[in-house]
Amino acid sequence: MDKYLLEIKDLHTYFTTKRGLIKAANGVSLKVQNGKTLGIVGESGSGKSVTAMSILKLFEHNQKIHSGEIWFDGEKISSLTQNELRKIRGNDISVIFQEPMTSLNPVLTVTRQISEVLMLHQDMTKDQAHARTIELLGLVGISNPEKIAKAYSFQLSGGMSQRVMIAMALACRPKLLIADEPTTALDVTIQAQILKLMNELKDELGTSIIFVTHDLGVINEMADDVAVMYSGQVVESANSKVIFSGKAKYSHPYTEGLMNSIPRLSDEKGKKLEVIPGTVPHPLDLPPGCKFAPRCKYATDKCRVEEPELVEVEKDHHIRCFYPESGVRSDGEK
Ligand SMILES: Nc1ncnc2c1ncn2[C@@H]1O[C@H](COP(=O)(O)OP(=O)(O)OP(=O)(O)O)[C@@H](O)[C@H]1O
Ligand SMILES: [Mg+2]
């Protein structure tokens, strides 16, 4: 079996707007390993959701893949039509969104919704599908599955709806689960339970997961590999241990900034956290050269005019920076 289940190569996904072309994914490259979780992290507006939704072309009317390729399980799925992708959705690839309420159908009971998926994609009879639904609800940690199966989505709490969404997403034993901020709307206790559940399911079913969030703590807990996004591009990707080690030989200055903004238990009391000054550039007003240069304390004249490529600096570690060696960078020296 190939090591990678999904590969995105130089993806450009654009929005056509009255004010101009918004290059929301502007050369994204990343890979998801079989049976592993890739965490995609980055500030708001960096293109995480656009990248994740490009996989199944879950697009708005003014949105389209301009160029690039997406390969899934040996097939170039970026060439498929929306209709063809619909067959993959809920079969080989499932998606969980931030707002479970809006994704569940309010006029159908939980069992109807999950059963329909099973009957459609797995040729089950109604009775088989109902039995499997009860089993799935149990698997996602619902203690009274028979009762919940009869409920309508508006009768469920946020945490319960998200569990139902996960059960529905897993109904077809997908090879890939795309979860875009699946726990952001939930309180911390429920969030922790759902994350634990997703990890268990990954281990039991061998599902690969793309986990999108701007919460580094969650990434640390969930991800085997990490892709850090900035302004529509991946600026660094590596094994999660490398990213979170805090002493990697190579790192992107943006990742370094993100890491320095996480409070650590070992920090002295009252120590001020380093927050990266400035904001993500407006997509209609991108700087020339490196997109991060205006906020980078190490930026040189070269960075302000030339754009660095995403380069493999060591095995399975990619960085988009002219000065990827963390030890030798120092403010204003270059
Ligand atoms: N419908 C739209 N029309 C035009 N531009 C859009 C649209 N949706 C998103 N964008 C732009 O695409 C870029 C990337 O957005 P995206 O939603 O992928 O960010 P994100 O990293 O998921 O952020 P967040 O953490 O807030 O969810 C942003 O600059 C955003 O303004
Ligand atoms: Mg998003």
Side-chain angles (χ1 to χ4, degrees):
M1 191 161 67
D2 196 8
K3 185 177 172 193
Y4 297 105
L5 177 67
L6 181 97
E7 185 170 2
I8 299 184
K9 297 180 184 174
D10 199 22
L11 173 75
H12 290 255
T13 300
Y14 297 167
F15 290 94
T16 314
T17 71
K18 281 198 191 101
R19 295 173 54 216
L21 201 59
I22 293 188
K23 300 181 175 179
N26 196 8
V28 172
S29 298
L30 55 82
K31 291 178 185 179
V32 182
Q33 296 192 64
N34 267 302
K36 303 271 181 185
T37 298
L38 172 77
I40 304 185
V41 70
E43 281 163 289
S44 189
S46 55
K48 304 183 295 295
S49 297
V50 166
T51 299
M53 295 309 140
S54 294
I55 297 168
L56 288 176
K57 297 190 186 163
L58 298 173
F59 283 166
E60 317 241 352
H61 67 282
N62 62 337
Q63 185 179 11
K64 147 171 191 236
I65 294 183
H66 172 263
S67 60
E69 293 179 0
I70 301 176
W71 289 80
F72 173 76
D73 209 12
E75 187 183 9
K76 190 164 128 189
I77 58 167
S78 48
S79 325
L80 301 181
T81 61
Q82 305 253 3
N83 253 340
E84 290 167 326
L85 286 168
R86 219 161 281 147
K87 290 187 198 121
I88 294 183
R89 181 174 178 196
N91 227 352
D92 285 335
I93 303 180
S94 288
V95 190
I96 313 175
F97 300 101
Q98 180 175 343
E99 291 292 340
M101 306 289 192
T102 56
S103 323
L104 289 170
N105 189 332
V107 300
L108 299 180
T109 59
V110 167
T111 192
R112 266 291 293 281
Q113 292 193 56
I114 301 182
S115 295
E116 272 183 12
V117 178
L118 291 166
M119 284 154 71
L120 185 72
H121 291 288
Q122 298 205 343
D123 276 341
M124 287 191 184
T125 64
K126 203 172 164 194
D127 287 349
Q128 285 171 328
H130 179 73
R132 177 77 181 133
T133 299
I134 300 297
E135 204 181 320
L136 281 164
L137 292 175
L139 197 68
V140 297
I142 292 173
S143 53
N144 46 352
E146 292 282 359
K147 183 168 167 228
I148 294 298
K150 289 191 210 116
Y152 290 90
S153 59
F154 65 85
Q155 296 172 312
L156 306 174
S157 65
M160 198 58 88
S161 316
Q162 200 56 297
R163 280 171 195 262
V164 170
M165 275 302 295
I166 295 177
M168 200 150 98
L170 294 172
C172 296
R173 298 180 155 253
K175 293 180 182 140
L176 176 67
L177 179 64
I178 301 172
D180 190 351
E181 307 261 12
T183 56
T184 313
L186 307 175
D187 78 53
V188 281
T189 322
I190 315 270
Q191 173 174 349
Q193 287 171 6
I194 302 261
L195 295 182
K196 186 163 167 270
L197 173 73
M198 287 178 70
N199 272 336
E200 286 166 8
L201 294 172
K202 179 186 81 167
D203 294 340
E204 273 168 39
L205 304 178
T207 312
S208 298
I209 302 176
I210 293 184
F211 198 97
V212 174
T213 178
H214 52 258
D215 187 331
L216 281 166
V218 171
I219 288 281
N220 195 7
E221 225 167 280
M222 296 294 290
D224 299 292
D225 298 309
V226 178
V228 180
M229 287 197 63
Y230 188 80
S231 190
Q233 299 175 324
V234 171
V235 294
E236 178 163 5
S237 62
N239 184 276
S240 158
K241 289 197 189 84
V242 172
I243 297 275
F244 284 96
S245 72
K247 45 182 189 293
K249 184 170 180 217
Y250 301 97
S251 71
H252 192 284
Y254 178 62
T255 312
E256 189 184 294
L258 285 180
M259 292 300 146
N260 289 338
S261 69
I262 318 179
R264 288 198 182 78
L265 282 175
S266 58
D267 280 352
E268 316 139 38
K269 268 210 183 111
K271 186 184 163 197
K272 208 165 169 249
L273 290 175
E274 230 182 285
V275 181
I276 312 165
T279 49
V280 181
H282 192 276
L284 287 173
D285 188 22
L286 294 176
C290 171
K291 305 286 168 272
F292 186 59
R295 295 172 75 185
C296 181
K297 59 184 179 185
Y298 308 114
T300 64
D301 289 345
K302 179 179 178 173
C303 306
R304 285 180 270 269
V305 286
E306 262 182 66
E307 179 155 28
E309 305 259 330
L310 189 66
V311 172
E312 186 166 31
V313 290
E314 55 189 341
K315 191 167 181 323
D316 296 329
H317 188 180
H318 295 79
I319 296 184
R320 191 186 279 277
C321 176
F322 292 122
Y323 311 104
E325 247 184 286
S326 19
V328 304
R329 285 193 296 251
S330 64
D331 315 11
E333 261 186 25
K334 285 185 232 97

